[in-house]
Amino acid sequence: MDAINIIVRSIFVDNMVFAYFLGMCSFLAVSKNVKTALGLGIAVTFVLVLTLPLNYLIENYVLKGGALAWFGDEYKDVDLSVFSLLIFIAVIASVVQLVEMIIERFSPALYLSLGIFLPLIAVNCAILGGSLFMQQREFPNIGIATAYAFGSGIGWLLAIVGMAAIREKLEYSNVPKPLKGLGITFIITALMAIGFMSFSGINI
Amino acid sequence: MALSNKTKEVLLGPLNKNNPVIVQVLGICSALAVTSKLEPAVVMAISVTVVVAFANVIISLLRKTIPNRIRIIVQLVVAAALVTLVSEVLKAFAYDVNKQLSVFVGLIVTNCILMGRLEAFALGNGPWPSFLDGIGNGLGYGWILVAVGFFRELLGSGSLFGHKVIPQCVYDAGYKDNGLMMLAPMAILIVACIIWIHRARNKDLQEESN
């Protein structure tokens, strides 16, 4: 039940885009049509689900104060959390590179449709943000952490696909000149965020 | 020392015509999330300027030795090391602000401005222009942050830097703080208004399609 609750919460209430503005750069840049938006959304979810549990293990068995106790008594007081940022981002960057290479080798078709987005993902704030929130919220076990990763990814996907759909329709409307493109996209994002706020407080 | 035209362009361009936030659309994530008060916005602006400037210098010094395939990882590691330093300094000297910024200090690493400048400028230029470029872009990012923070704090809680600026008699007459300003979506709307004004004045930046 905990896992379902956290998935629902991270999709609607703590939506990465609308509540924390994470991954805004690619959100704004790649939301011109639904198909590419869907591709990027899937890629983000995939990388989140891979990296967040990995970082969870590293955080709890290596970095946290006292986490090295399994290694021997003399390591009980070691606190490596200063390095967490450095290690998280290294893990993310290498997983992205690895995934890119594996997909390229085994499924060239998928690589062609996703390939261009994969390098972008290493610097998508939503991915690192997920890991940092994981560290801050101290999830009880790896299952919950994975559920959180999945929910945040789906929430991001939902946001970018919805945005792309609206922008496709927007093509036919008459927007004031200085607002064209970027400006109107910002205003739509703000309105969507206000809409999403109506979900706040939902608990299962 | 008189600045040559090129240095001037590198340093001052990002403040207006080439602004990282409202023209190049980089670094939006943090620009919006930390601006509900003026103080964290200023701290964030300074942190980003410092990190971008020094990461630019380091990458620019290393640019001939980094293999092309792994350059993203190298850039991220340099950035992460600098951000860790900044975050430790903040924890030591400005603990409250650090609490308010929460994960967003860490997220400077994936701030698109940082990666964008490293990729687009530092990899192809010497250390001194790169340093100026970093300062310029940091300031360009900073003034947007401060502007958004100014309006949100003024209209949302009637104060600036935590001090009340709207006099009590105005409240007595029935004025109320606009609580909506403290919520996240209003930050986007304010940036949208800045973009609107900016593009109305610089016609060449207007886009053709939606």
Side-chain angles (χ1 to χ4, degrees), chain B residues 116-135:
Chain B
R117 289 336 286 172
L118 294 181
E119 277 281 295
F121 200 90
L123 279 179
N125 287 282
W128 176 239
S130 298
F131 180 73
L132 289 179
D133 180 72
I135 298 274

Side-chain angles (χ1 to χ4, degrees), chain B residues 150-204:
Chain B
F150 174 81
F151 284 114
R152 281 182 80 187
E153 189 170 357
L154 183 66
L155 300 174
S157 45
S159 53
L160 289 174
F161 287 110
H163 301 292
K164 277 276 170 212
V165 288
I166 294 183
Q168 189 58 40
C169 58
V170 180
Y171 286 103
D172 293 340
Y175 175 81
K176 278 206 171 62
D177 288 328
N178 183 356
L180 195 60
M181 280 316 228
M182 300 310 286
L183 298 172
M186 298 315 285
I188 313 190
L189 272 186
I190 294 177
V191 176
C193 293
I194 295 179
I195 292 174
W196 192 352
I197 298 166
H198 188 247
R199 295 208 171 168
R201 298 184 55 185
N202 297 288
K203 293 220 159 39
D204 50 319

Side-chain angles (χ1 to χ4, degrees), chain A residues 28-103:
Chain A
L28 293 170
V30 197
S31 59
K32 282 234 164 78
N33 75 66
V34 174
K35 222 176 147 199
T36 38
L38 191 67
L40 184 64
I42 292 172
V44 165
T45 311
F46 187 59
V47 175
L48 254 178
V49 171
L50 276 180
T51 54
L52 210 140
L54 205 60
N55 280 336
Y56 181 83
L57 290 179
I58 293 176
E59 159 79 8
N60 280 289
Y61 291 100
V62 183
L63 296 175
K64 222 160 71 178
L68 276 174
W70 57 274
F71 203 64
D73 263 351
E74 63 268 40
Y75 294 99
K76 241 190 335 221
D77 304 325
V78 180
D79 184 353
L80 294 175
S81 42
V82 187
F83 297 112
S84 54
L85 197 59
L86 205 69
I87 294 189
F88 286 171
I89 196 70
V91 166
I92 289 168
S94 38
V95 165
V96 169
Q97 203 111 45
L98 209 67
V99 168
E100 195 185 345
M101 271 143 63
I102 293 173
I103 294 182

Side-chain angles (χ1 to χ4, degrees), chain A residues 32-197:
Chain A
K32 282 234 164 78
N33 75 66
V34 174
K35 222 176 147 199
T36 38
L38 191 67
L40 184 64
I42 292 172
V44 165
T45 311
F46 187 59
V47 175
L48 254 178
V49 171
L50 276 180
T51 54
L52 210 140
L54 205 60
N55 280 336
Y56 181 83
L57 290 179
I58 293 176
E59 159 79 8
N60 280 289
Y61 291 100
V62 183
L63 296 175
K64 222 160 71 178
L68 276 174
W70 57 274
F71 203 64
D73 263 351
E74 63 268 40
Y75 294 99
K76 241 190 335 221
D77 304 325
V78 180
D79 184 353
L80 294 175
S81 42
V82 187
F83 297 112
S84 54
L85 197 59
L86 205 69
I87 294 189
F88 286 171
I89 196 70
V91 166
I92 289 168
S94 38
V95 165
V96 169
Q97 203 111 45
L98 209 67
V99 168
E100 195 185 345
M101 271 143 63
I102 293 173
I103 294 182
E104 190 178 11
R105 172 79 180 73
F106 289 106
S107 168
L110 183 64
Y111 179 75
L112 279 182
S113 57
L114 274 188
I116 33 168
F117 300 126
L118 281 170
L120 266 179
I121 289 174
V123 289
N124 188 324
C125 339
I127 311 279
L128 182 64
S131 286
L132 291 175
F133 277 127
M134 173 273 293
Q135 187 186 26
Q136 209 180 44
R137 292 183 191 174
E138 300 173 343
F139 292 125
N141 61 51
I142 190 167
I144 299 290
T146 317
Y148 176 71
F150 180 73
S152 317
I154 295 293
W156 200 85
L157 180 134
L158 204 67
I160 193 171
V161 170
M163 186 73 208
I166 296 178
R167 281 181 84 173
E168 277 188 3
K169 291 279 176 225
L170 210 63
E171 209 61 42
Y172 308 106
S173 28
N174 196 5
V175 179
K177 264 209 165 132
L179 270 181
K180 270 191 181 205
L182 194 58
I184 195 73
T185 313
F186 266 77
I187 292 181
I188 294 169
T189 316
L191 294 178
M192 283 172 87
I194 294 177
F196 260 71
M197 273 164 51

Side-chain angles (χ1 to χ4, degrees), chain B residues 43-44 47 83-99 101 105 108:
Chain B
V43 172
M44 186 73 182
S47 317
V83 171
T84 309
L85 274 179
V86 167
S87 140
E88 292 300 307
V89 169
L90 280 183
K91 256 183 217 157
F93 294 105
Y95 190 73
D96 290 340
V97 179
N98 190 53
K99 263 259 148 60
L101 290 174
V105 176
I108 298 177

Side-chain angles (χ1 to χ4, degrees), chain B:
Chain B
M1 190 182 71
L3 293 171
S4 68
N5 267 346
K6 186 173 174 272
T7 354
K8 231 185 199 160
E9 176 59 36
V10 165
L11 188 61
L12 298 180
L15 290 179
N16 185 19
K17 278 272 157 100
N18 214 358
N19 191 284
V21 180
I22 59 177
V23 178
Q24 304 173 39
V25 208
L26 300 173
I28 308 283
C29 329
S30 51
L32 302 173
V34 299
T35 49
S36 61
K37 289 254 179 341
L38 203 48
E39 196 185 2
V42 172
V43 172
M44 186 73 182
I46 296 171
S47 317
V48 169
T49 310
V50 170
V51 173
V52 176
F54 285 99
N56 253 352
V57 170
I58 294 174
I59 291 294
S60 159
L61 288 172
L62 293 174
R63 70 184 187 277
K64 298 214 171 81
T65 53
I66 302 174
N68 200 30
R69 268 198 85 89
I70 60 159
R71 67 177 194 284
I72 302 240
I73 296 182
V74 175
Q75 287 163 4
L76 284 176
V77 169
V78 168
L82 282 168
V83 171
T84 309
L85 274 179
V86 167
S87 140
E88 292 300 307
V89 169
L90 280 183
K91 256 183 217 157
F93 294 105
Y95 190 73
D96 290 340
V97 179
N98 190 53
K99 263 259 148 60
Q100 286 178 44
L101 290 174
S102 80
V103 298
F104 290 98
V105 176
L107 284 173
I108 298 177
V109 178
T110 51
N111 193 316
C112 326
I113 295 178
L114 186 56
M115 293 304 288
R117 289 336 286 172
L118 294 181
E119 277 281 295
F121 200 90
L123 279 179
N125 287 282
W128 176 239
S130 298
F131 180 73
L132 289 179
D133 180 72
I135 298 274
N137 277 282
L139 290 178
Y141 168 86
W143 83 256
I144 301 281
L145 227 68
V146 171
V148 176
F150 174 81
F151 284 114
R152 281 182 80 187
E153 189 170 357
L154 183 66
L155 300 174
S157 45
S159 53
L160 289 174
F161 287 110
H163 301 292
K164 277 276 170 212
V165 288
I166 294 183
Q168 189 58 40
C169 58
V170 180
Y171 286 103
D172 293 340
Y175 175 81
K176 278 206 171 62
D177 288 328
N178 183 356
L180 195 60
M181 280 316 228
M182 300 310 286
L183 298 172
M186 298 315 285
I188 313 190
L189 272 186
I190 294 177
V191 176
C193 293
I194 295 179
I195 292 174
W196 192 352
I197 298 166
H198 188 247
R199 295 208 171 168
R201 298 184 55 185
N202 297 288
K203 293 220 159 39
D204 50 319
L205 290 173
Q206 293 175 6
E207 293 169 57
E208 277 306 309
S209 70
N210 285 314

